[in-house]
Amino acid sequence: MITFGLPKGRNLGPARASLAAAGLNLDGLDSSRLRQRFPDQNVLGTPVEVLLLKDWDLPLYVEHGIVDCAIVGSDVLEETQPDVFRPLQLKDGRSRLSLIAETPELPKRSGQLRAATRYPAWAARLLAARNLHVEVIHLTSSIELGPLLDLTDVAVDIVQTGGTLRAHDLHEVEVLAEVAPTFVVNRASFHAHRRRLSGLLGALEETETGGD
Amino acid sequence: MKISAGLPTGVSAALFDSARRRRELEARLSALLEGRGFAEVLLPILDYFEPYRPLLTGRRLEQLYRFVDRDGQLLVLRGDFTPMLARLLAPHLDELELPLRLYYRGDVVRHQPLRPGRMREYSQLGAELLGGAKAEADERMLTLFFDLLLEARGEAPATSDGEEHTLRVVLGVAGALDDALLAAAGEREASDLALRIASRDRTAARRAGLADVVERGYPTELSVLGGAGEAVSDLLGLRDRLSSEYRDAGVEIEVDLAEFAAATLDSRIGVGAGQRGYYDGLMFAAYAPGTALALGVGGRYDKVFRSLSGDCSAVGFSVGLDLLLELGDAEARS
């Protein structure tokens, strides 16, 4: 049996769709239940157990080997830096991490800029790589409120459609990184289930990239 | 019982049953090693920093706890047994009767991020074989590695599908992919590509023409690896011989060059952070289901002696005693 960790909430749909396209159909998955089992009629040829977990917790469950593999956002991986294999990024559900401000250009300040973000470590790395040494303020939600309420000069956050920015009259100053749902595997599980996972990953790669 | 509250980050005290179980495991593994002719060495917890500059690269060097002694000397706490043993023995190689079989046990400390199962202070037991014919020494130490892990695990619990508690041992050759990586990415990006392949990034591997390295562990056509192809071919033979010997004992052996893709390239091109920078031949690592980290790692490190102006073939490994005890706990729970 192979145990999958899938994200609760809005990322569950794209993850399920990608797995289904690759031959791992999870018909009947009940999003209100924590743990569910599926029979072995799938591309893996073995029963599958699915655990529905929060995005931010998934890397830890994979590292511990509680789940063999998971689909988790690359934003969470970049922030938490888990020691897991990352064989594939999926196409559906991609977004971007952007530098956001009330003006189209980066605000000019005599002192250090302040940036609000839910990714303090990743944002600090990305901004330092651009020679922007900012004071990072860690917020857990409504990141756009940072510059709107003058808590910070800018925000560093995920942008999908840009609708939230337009609604608050904010500007996407620069795209800092691409964010993609990522298939991750526990090190020991990779070796234990190598042949089966290779088949699934090959099928996923084919459907996601069209062999690109 | 283990206590970490009130202690610095990443260290813990083993009390009562935890202490007894660890000492029991050490005793069983030590008895096996002594039965195979290995003699114990006791190494100091403190050493000078300077000798390790040429021996360790990248992250390993950064992870050493170092401080200035009252005499003004820069000292380190023991972060690894193998380089310390090599630096102490290298000046005396002429006086030693080779081959030399040594083992050690004790704690090492490294300043590293806390991860599941990874503390900053942890206990190791390891063995080193110095001198002797390389191929024979490699095979001898691999079988010792398997036997120690099997002894540590004891009898595996019965399982429904028979594969849950199999030990997986991964074999590779340090630097086997270096030429292919440099050809695919150039010097500036080769280290990044090596790290991507080590994390099994299929897209990056396919773009570099190394898709089968992440899919099956090594290229179908070994000539892609140039001179290292022959070493990998020998490794496949070794895998087949040992697999038939250890399959019934529950050890699965595979050749997987991707596992060690980043082992040597970083130090070679001077960027990045090689994790196992001192290996220069056979490398191996063992995993068990449910474990977050390798139970043990090892390999050939002749270049450590060369960098110390010594000429001695050397192969060895270490196993994590805490990890082996945790494995026993996990199997008991399952």
Side-chain angles (χ1 to χ4, degrees):
Chain A
M1 185 173 73
I2 295 181
T3 306
F4 275 76
L6 294 182
K8 282 180 172 179
R10 63 187 161 90
N11 293 332
L12 177 60
R16 276 185 71 178
S18 295
L19 291 174
L24 182 58
N25 213 322
L26 302 175
D27 281 345
L29 183 74
D30 180 349
S31 59
S32 65
R33 290 172 59 199
L34 168 68
R35 175 178 286 203
Q36 290 155 82
R37 285 197 180 195
F38 295 84
D40 60 3
Q41 284 81 35
N42 58 53
V43 68
L44 291 163
T46 187
V48 165
E49 184 174 58
V50 175
L51 297 181
L52 296 179
L53 299 161
K54 290 203 170 177
D55 229 15
W56 284 90
D57 296 335
L58 277 165
L60 204 62
Y61 281 92
V62 179
E63 260 192 307
H64 273 282
I66 306 298
V67 300
D68 296 305
C69 42
I71 293 177
V72 57
S74 61
D75 53 334
V76 176
L77 297 172
E78 291 297 338
E79 180 64 23
T80 57
Q81 298 277 306
D83 187 8
V84 296
F85 290 150
R86 308 178 187 193
L88 202 61
Q89 290 198 328
L90 307 181
K91 193 170 63 182
D92 286 344
R94 291 197 177 204
S95 55
R96 55 196 186 269
L97 185 79
S98 293
L99 187 60
I100 297 158
E102 288 184 288
T103 54
E105 302 289 329
L106 201 61
K108 289 191 168 42
R109 293 282 182 273
S110 54
Q112 197 174 29
L113 280 175
R114 277 183 167 185
T117 183
R118 77 185 78 208
Y119 310 102
W122 190 28
R125 286 202 308 276
L126 289 169
L127 295 171
R130 286 162 171 77
N131 274 331
L132 287 171
H133 298 283
V134 302
E135 182 187 352
V136 174
I137 306 283
H138 184 199
L139 295 181
T140 55
S141 63
S142 302
I143 311 301
E144 69 280 1
L145 291 182
L148 283 175
L149 299 180
D150 286 336
L151 173 69
T152 61
D153 304 298
V154 294
V156 175
D157 200 20
I158 301 289
V159 177
Q160 282 183 314
T161 62
T164 305
L165 301 189
R166 284 191 294 276
H168 292 94
D169 205 17
L170 289 166
H171 298 268
E172 193 172 4
V173 177
E174 186 182 348
V175 175
L176 299 174
E178 190 171 85
V179 175
T182 306
F183 195 97
V184 297
V185 188
N186 169 270
R187 283 177 171 272
S189 303
F190 180 85
H191 295 295
H193 303 294
R194 183 175 199 132
R195 275 187 292 276
R196 288 191 163 115
L197 288 176
S198 256
L200 173 65
L201 287 166
L204 268 175
E205 193 176 27
E206 194 64 34
T207 57
E208 292 295 320
T209 65
D212 173 33
Chain B
M1 175 183 193
K2 279 194 159 189
I3 295 177
S4 55
L7 290 169
T9 303
V11 304
S12 65
L15 304 180
F16 315 124
D17 190 50
S18 293
R20 182 185 57 75
R21 290 177 59 229
R22 182 173 138 190
R23 290 302 189 207
E24 276 179 5
L25 177 62
E26 279 183 33
R28 277 195 288 130
L29 301 186
S30 299
L32 191 153
L33 286 160
E34 287 178 11
R36 302 275 178 98
F38 283 75
E40 185 170 14
V41 291
L42 302 174
L43 297 178
I45 191 79
L46 277 182
D47 199 359
Y48 295 113
F49 172 70
E50 206 54 40
Y52 296 96
R53 278 191 199 273
L55 301 183
L56 300 176
T57 57
R59 199 182 306 169
R60 272 288 166 87
L61 205 55
E62 291 165 13
Q63 286 175 346
L64 288 175
Y65 278 89
R66 62 189 103 164
F67 59 96
V68 179
D69 193 12
R70 291 184 180 193
D71 302 333
Q73 298 281 0
L74 189 56
L75 303 183
V76 288
L77 291 176
R78 185 173 62 212
D80 203 333
F81 282 95
T82 303
M84 182 186 277
L85 195 55
R87 92 162 193 85
L88 294 174
L89 292 178
H92 303 286
L93 285 175
D94 292 344
E95 309 152 32
L96 297 169
E97 191 177 333
L98 301 178
L100 201 57
R101 296 177 179 82
L102 303 170
Y103 83 94
Y104 56 81
R105 50 183 157 157
D107 287 1
V108 294
V109 285
R110 293 177 192 161
H111 190 272
Q112 56 191 3
L114 297 183
R115 289 288 175 206
R118 183 195 291 158
M119 300 287 278
R120 287 183 176 163
E121 178 185 21
Y122 45 97
S123 54
Q124 285 189 336
L125 179 142
E128 316 289 343
L129 174 54
L130 308 183
K134 289 185 185 180
E136 190 186 333
D138 285 352
E139 189 161 341
R140 192 176 289 260
M141 289 302 278
L142 261 180
T143 57
L144 179 64
F145 184 61
F146 298 161
D147 292 344
L148 271 179
L149 290 172
L150 292 170
E151 172 65 34
R153 190 186 64 173
E155 193 174 338
T159 57
S160 54
D161 59 10
E163 72 167 20
E164 293 292 322
H165 297 284
T166 302
L167 291 170
R168 309 270 165 174
V169 178
V170 185
L171 309 181
V173 178
L177 294 177
D178 285 10
D179 289 339
L181 291 166
L182 287 164
E187 289 214 347
R188 188 172 290 273
E189 290 84 21
S191 178
D192 180 55
L193 179 59
L195 290 169
R196 284 175 178 275
I197 287 182
S199 75
R200 318 292 164 151
D201 183 332
R202 293 172 68 96
T203 310
R206 193 156 42 80
R207 283 184 182 148
L210 294 166
D212 45 1
V213 171
V214 294
E215 189 154 334
R216 62 200 292 268
Y218 51 90
T220 316
E221 184 50 68
L222 292 180
S223 63
V224 171
L225 304 177
E230 198 177 328
V232 176
S233 177
D234 291 344
L235 205 59
L236 292 168
L238 181 63
R239 175 199 63 183
D240 294 342
R241 282 198 305 282
L242 294 177
S243 289
S244 59
E245 199 176 326
Y246 279 90
R247 189 171 292 121
D248 289 345
V251 180
E252 288 283 333
I253 306 165
E254 61 186 28
V255 170
D256 190 339
L257 303 183
E259 186 81 11
F260 310 109
T264 59
L265 194 68
D266 300 324
S267 58
R268 178 171 163 170
I269 60 176
V271 295
Q275 291 185 36
R276 303 180 177 111
Y278 54 69
Y279 291 124
D280 61 348
L282 168 74
M283 292 185 71
F284 47 92
Y287 294 93
T291 55
L293 301 168
L295 300 173
V297 296
R300 175 158 287 285
Y301 56 96
D302 301 2
K303 81 171 179 188
V304 171
F305 278 96
R306 283 198 302 277
S307 69
L308 292 163
S309 306
D311 184 15
C312 181
S313 82
V315 58
F317 61 79
S318 65
V319 294
L321 294 173
D322 300 315
L323 290 170
L324 289 172
L325 288 168
E326 280 175 25
L327 175 67
D329 291 344
E331 289 184 341
R333 279 197 301 275
S334 70

